[in-house]
Amino acid sequence: EPWMFTLTGACDVEGGLDGRSFVKQGNTRSGAPYYKAMQGDKYLYYDPGCMASTDDSTDGAPRWIIGDIKPDVTRDHDLDGDGMCNYIAGIESKYTGNPPTRGKWTMKCAGNYQLEFLQLLEVTTTATLTTTTSKATTSSTSTRASVSNAPKSLRLSGACVY
């Protein structure tokens, strides 16, 4: 399960989302992971039904959401508690394992919802520590980052140095 995604493809109005990294915070009641942006109060999470009621209307269909309200991980639906499907971006899905890494998301741009092709680039980091003993003890750390579904150019920000 990925611990961090970097978002690309957001419309100009929400352009501040481009390049923003979302880090895993935990899991919701449904077992789906949820993420918080490293910069600002933006969240990426799975909502089994974003309406106040649990009817099967199209508007309340299960979906991954990017929003600015922290999801209540104890609720079984309408995780932002607003009683409606109001969010920055969303994509219908029944898969709770992780958000789709690419697809057409319904995104609020200039006050209207439109389809935008978004990519969530999975960021994985591994670190190794090597220690050699002689007259003095030295240690070195190397970090390797890799990205799935990487575009031709990549900007990685917010990586930790160990």
Side-chain angles (χ1 to χ4, degrees):
E1 182 173 284
W3 67 276
M4 184 165 82
F5 289 101
T6 299
L7 174 72
T8 63
C11 60
D12 290 340
V13 174
E14 293 293 342
L17 289 177
D18 272 344
R20 197 171 289 203
S21 295
F22 290 82
V23 178
K24 184 177 178 191
Q25 302 296 298
N27 294 79
T28 64
R29 186 172 183 174
S30 71
Y34 78 98
Y35 304 82
K36 182 184 185 299
M38 291 178 70
Q39 313 85 10
D41 291 330
K42 304 289 186 224
Y43 298 90
L44 170 63
Y45 60 94
Y46 182 81
D47 197 333
C50 54
M51 300 292 281
S53 68
T54 56
D55 66 13
D56 286 339
S57 68
T58 304
D59 287 336
R63 68 191 76 203
W64 283 92
I65 289 175
I66 298 171
D68 47 16
I69 298 174
K70 182 179 180 179
D72 182 342
V73 299
T74 65
R75 295 178 65 105
D76 60 4
H77 69 281
D78 188 26
L79 302 189
D80 64 2
D82 68 357
M84 59 186 128
C85 297
N86 188 16
Y87 46 79
I88 297 168
I91 187 168
E92 289 186 16
S93 175
K94 292 185 179 181
Y95 181 68
T96 62
N98 56 270
T101 56
R102 57 181 53 210
K104 288 188 178 182
W105 290 59
T106 302
M107 185 167 205
K108 190 181 283 186
C109 301
N112 298 311
Y113 284 104
Q114 64 188 47
L115 290 177
E116 292 289 324
F117 186 81
L118 300 183
Q119 290 189 71
L120 291 167
L121 307 172
E122 183 180 326
V123 179
T124 57
T125 304
T126 57
T128 56
L129 176 63
T130 306
T131 304
T132 10
T133 306
S134 59
K135 288 184 179 182
T137 301
T138 59
S139 62
S140 63
T141 304
S142 64
T143 303
R144 181 184 77 230
S146 62
V147 177
S148 305
N149 301 322
K152 291 183 182 186
S153 65
L154 172 69
R155 182 184 73 179
L156 177 65
S157 61
C160 299
V161 177
Y162 294 93

